[in-house]
Amino acid sequence: LKLWHSFAVVDCPLAMKVINSQEFVKIPKGVEVEVSGRVVKVTGKYGTLERNFRHLPVVIEKYGKKQTVLKVEIWFGLSKHLACMRTVCSHIENMFTGVMKKFEYKQRLVYSHFPINVNILNGGKTVEIRNYLGEKCVRTVMMYPGVTCRKSEQTKDELIIEGVDIDNTSMSAAKIHQSCLCKKKDIRKFLDGIYECESGTVDKD
């Protein structure tokens, strides 16, 4: 019954469809963009990113005389489809930012009695966390592809996670945070853990 209801809403003649809707994303200087069948490939200073948008009913193509603008277009779209169109533009803008400036997340080691020890292995691709709340177990966190972790040289007990892909970079930082969650204790009292303190890009404007 629930499945039938969802189809009924989509096929309802009263649901208003917008004949044509467009969004434009300007291509920054120093960035090369290739579009092939809703697969967008972006190349810049820090590397190359590729993303597949074939699961969405949108048209993506270069626009303008100098091909310096990406046009995202949808025909006969409902409100949900129009929202997806704006989401595609946000993903593409994040890809531009990643290859131009590189994303950076900073985390601090917080402890009251037992100092948290962190070892970084495999060139920043593996993080080992020891002595969390005095526990003997070793927590091992693997970074997502294209993401590296290092210790800050200026600040004590600070980790810096860097990557071109915003999804992989943020999820790697989240994995480190979630590996040190305090279980079965009052979290108002036991505040030990690894917390995000700052996020942004390596190249500042």
Side-chain angles (χ1 to χ4, degrees):
L1 181 61
K2 185 177 181 181
L3 183 63
W4 174 85
H5 180 69
S6 64
F7 278 110
V9 172
V10 173
D11 296 334
C12 178
L14 298 179
M16 188 179 71
K17 293 185 178 181
V18 179
I19 295 177
N20 180 258
S21 184
Q22 300 174 349
E23 289 278 351
F24 298 90
V25 181
K26 186 176 180 181
I27 301 175
K29 293 183 179 178
V31 176
E32 296 181 1
V33 179
E34 298 178 13
V35 181
S36 176
R38 287 183 287 183
V39 177
V40 180
K41 186 177 181 180
V42 178
T43 304
K45 175 182 176 182
Y46 286 105
T48 301
L49 287 176
E50 184 174 315
R51 189 149 192 155
N52 191 334
F53 297 104
R54 287 177 177 168
H55 60 287
L56 296 173
V58 297
V59 178
I60 306 174
E61 59 185 2
K62 289 185 177 181
Y63 183 76
K65 293 183 179 179
K66 297 184 179 180
Q67 303 285 293
T68 57
V69 176
L70 270 183
K71 181 175 74 170
V72 182
E73 185 177 26
I74 190 168
W75 291 86
F76 301 102
L78 297 169
S79 59
K80 289 185 178 181
H81 299 147
L82 301 182
C84 292
M85 182 181 64
R86 182 59 204 158
T87 300
V88 170
C89 295
S90 298
H91 284 314
I92 295 175
E93 289 172 352
N94 286 333
M95 293 169 67
F96 290 159
T97 305
V99 298
M100 289 175 55
K101 301 180 180 180
K102 204 173 191 178
F103 291 102
E104 178 184 66
Y105 286 76
K106 294 183 179 180
Q107 294 182 318
R108 297 294 298 271
L109 311 181
V110 178
Y111 52 85
S112 58
H113 181 71
F114 296 102
I116 302 174
N117 300 324
V118 174
N119 296 327
I120 299 176
L121 310 173
N122 298 333
K125 296 181 180 179
T126 305
V127 179
E128 284 188 352
I129 303 168
R130 302 174 185 268
N131 201 39
Y132 174 69
L133 290 178
E135 297 176 0
K136 297 297 182 182
C137 68
V138 179
R139 292 168 167 83
T140 303
V141 181
M142 303 293 295
M143 299 292 100
Y144 282 91
V147 181
T148 58
C149 180
R150 61 183 175 89
K151 292 183 179 180
S152 174
E153 299 178 356
Q154 289 80 18
T155 308
K156 180 187 176 184
D157 294 334
E158 184 177 70
L159 299 178
I160 299 177
I161 299 97
E162 297 176 346
V164 177
D165 191 338
I166 188 172
D167 292 338
N168 289 351
T169 308
S170 59
M171 288 192 296
S172 297
K175 282 177 67 175
I176 295 176
H177 167 68
Q178 291 177 349
S179 67
C180 293
L181 294 179
C182 187
K183 302 294 182 65
K184 297 183 180 180
K185 292 183 176 64
D186 188 355
I187 59 174
R188 297 172 295 180
K189 177 67 176 178
F190 294 87
L191 300 175
D192 294 29
I194 301 178
Y195 298 94
E196 180 183 332
C197 63
E198 184 180 345
S199 64
T201 57
V202 174
D203 295 349
K204 309 296 181 184
D205 293 333

